[in-house]
Amino acid sequence: MAGLALALAHAVLAQGALAQSVPLPLNNPPPRAPYTAAPITGTPFEAQPLPPLAPIAPPGTQARPQAQAPTPVEAPQTGETAKPGEASVLPVTGNSLPPVDVESLGVLSESNGGFGVNLWAETRRDVIEALLPRLPAALAAPSLRSLERRLLLSIGGPPEPAQPGRGLMPVRVERLLAMGDLGGALELIRAMPARAVDSRMAETRANALLIADDVAASCQEARERLASTPGLFWDKLNVFCDLAARDVPRAQLGATMVRDQGDKDAAFFTLADALSGNKTAQVKSLPDATPLTLAMMRASGQPLPADAGPRDKPPILRGIALAPNTPAPLRLEAAHRAALYGAVTPEELAKIFEQTNFSPAQLAGAFSEATKLGPAPARALLYRAAKDQTKPQGRAEALRALYALGRQDGDFALLVRVTQPLLLEMPAARDQAWFAADAARALYSARNLPVAKAWLDIALSAAANDRDAAAATTMLWPLARLADGDAAASWDAEKLAQWRGAVEAGKSDNAPQRIAMALALLDALGDPVIGADWQPLFKGATTIAGTIPSPMAWFGLRAAASEKRLGLTVLYALTVLGEADPGRQNPVTVGAAVQALKAAGLERDARALAVDAAIAAGL
């Protein structure tokens, strides 16, 4: 009722309000093109980069934000009708398009990384409905992010129709946004007929557009939804849109009605005051930022507080990292964490690293100075040191130091992807044999298998006369085997024993976990691991800490894989592993997920997950 009353009040005020409006003190850069979602592809492990973001237009440029109309979706023209579980492909007759099976829509086909139209064949709908909302959001493993993204974007629907109010498309869109994949969420909505976009998807789209700084498009969404979809979210967004249109009286009325509904969002009301012209209204703390409050902070020109967050929500982290009003230290920290979850691309993080200011003394003594800095600044400094080095020796030393930090703190895979262009500029050469194992490990992590093999061959060729190179190749053998099987390293029980002995000799606290993880992963991929290989672990505990799946999930994963039900196998694997770093999980659980993916026909993904888990475990 409050939303309907607000809509009626807006209609009454619409005729005269603009004449009474006053300019807002919006501190914005020059207008840029409206947001357009980036092209979607399925093979990269990272979120797709977004084009330049569109701010609110400054006063005097337009009366009200306008948005581009969504690209219409045309039904494929074919003479075949979809079978249960397949994408709808219906013939066109006359001048009208046939109904579209909304749940089968997507943007990834098998040719560009999708799982195929039959991914949900023979899968019970109630199982999908139960598990899909549980998909994790903050995933640090690139292999798992890739699997989840492709699952959500793939063309192909479940075999049973949706019951009213229980469609899967809103869940797919929400999970994409929760991952920080703005482009994927917006592209999936754009693939749908406008009539099929319900209020949940419209809210998700509006939030994604706010994070992308396309206020014009989000406001068009709000105007269209105000009367038909009442609710506090739309009421608050329309207040902001009135302020963006410089209609202060209407915005103040809307804010009053929002307050009357019992809303306690102090940041929202403070920012509404600030955008109404109250220069004393300042937000000092913002630990529970939303896409709307981030957009209002940008519009007000106020710098984001140091506690802006939450820091475990990828889309919010992306909004903080790329906002023009974010102080440099906060931007660096937020960008690093957002990139760890795939919400900021490696290229975007590299640019932020390059823009981070350091003194000449810090740049000259990067290795020692990095030890005095926090995690994100230390990485930025070593990245700068590596990029500034023109000689392979100096660059290799900086990359080795950076990779050591990543292996220690759990962001190795991210740092590899940020620095991969720098690494690829270095030819695999014999005089860099000391660095060959580091380079090969990094490139196996990045799934650049041919170049990784070139560096591994350099280490192998130097091993005969170089004790360090020989030791490095021993330690690298299981990782190479996991990454590319026989193409990288043939099975050799003696090499496995040498590696296990070297790990034990190191006497590190996590040696048993490293050995257990390696053996579990090799076994999961079909290598002939035998009882004798496990024998050294008999000296340790017979139980270890670590979450294990419920019986339903454990046996469901195994059954789905054996029956090659692709979508369900991926869904179970993702929910079983969750957001925890796979390298720190129970090796039995990770091995089961790897084995299931391989059995379902996803060997490339199984090996990618095995490499992520192995490196995170210390291999």
Side-chain angles (χ1 to χ4, degrees), residues 390-571:
T390 57
K391 294 182 179 180
Q393 176 82 11
R395 176 167 291 182
E397 290 173 350
L399 290 177
R400 171 178 269 191
L402 188 57
Y403 295 160
L405 278 181
R407 295 184 68 193
Q408 171 186 298
D409 296 339
D411 60 345
F412 177 81
L414 168 61
L415 296 177
V416 165
R417 283 156 177 78
V418 173
T419 60
Q420 188 174 191
L422 305 180
L423 181 55
L424 292 178
E425 291 175 359
M426 301 171 54
R430 181 65 181 269
D431 60 353
Q432 300 299 322
W434 63 273
F435 178 64
D438 298 274
R441 180 182 290 105
L443 292 162
Y444 280 132
S445 174
R447 304 298 295 161
N448 194 330
L449 303 181
V451 185
K453 182 63 165 62
W455 279 102
L456 177 61
D457 289 343
I458 291 294
L460 290 170
S461 67
N465 301 312
D466 186 328
R467 181 181 301 177
D468 291 339
T473 58
T474 296
M475 299 305 292
L476 197 59
W477 180 84
L479 185 65
R481 180 76 189 164
L482 292 171
D484 208 15
D486 289 334
S490 59
W491 176 257
D492 189 327
E494 184 177 346
K495 286 187 180 298
L496 177 60
Q498 290 173 352
W499 171 80
R500 191 181 61 239
V503 174
E504 290 177 315
K507 299 186 183 302
S508 64
D509 292 340
N510 72 336
Q513 171 75 1
R514 290 163 66 189
I515 295 172
M517 184 64 77
L519 295 178
L521 294 172
L522 289 167
D523 179 74
L525 289 170
D527 282 341
V529 177
I530 60 176
D533 297 319
W534 292 96
Q535 189 168 354
L537 298 180
F538 294 165
K539 303 171 187 176
T542 55
T543 60
I544 61 173
T547 302
I548 61 171
S550 69
M552 177 276 296
W554 183 269
F555 291 104
L557 174 64
R558 190 168 68 180
S562 66
E563 297 165 8
K564 297 194 182 303
R565 287 184 282 172
L566 200 58
L568 188 58
T569 301
V570 174
L571 187 54

Side-chain angles (χ1 to χ4, degrees), residues 13 16-22 246-249:
L13 287 171
L18 289 178
Q20 304 170 27
S21 64
V22 296
R246 301 174 307 284
D247 191 345
V248 173

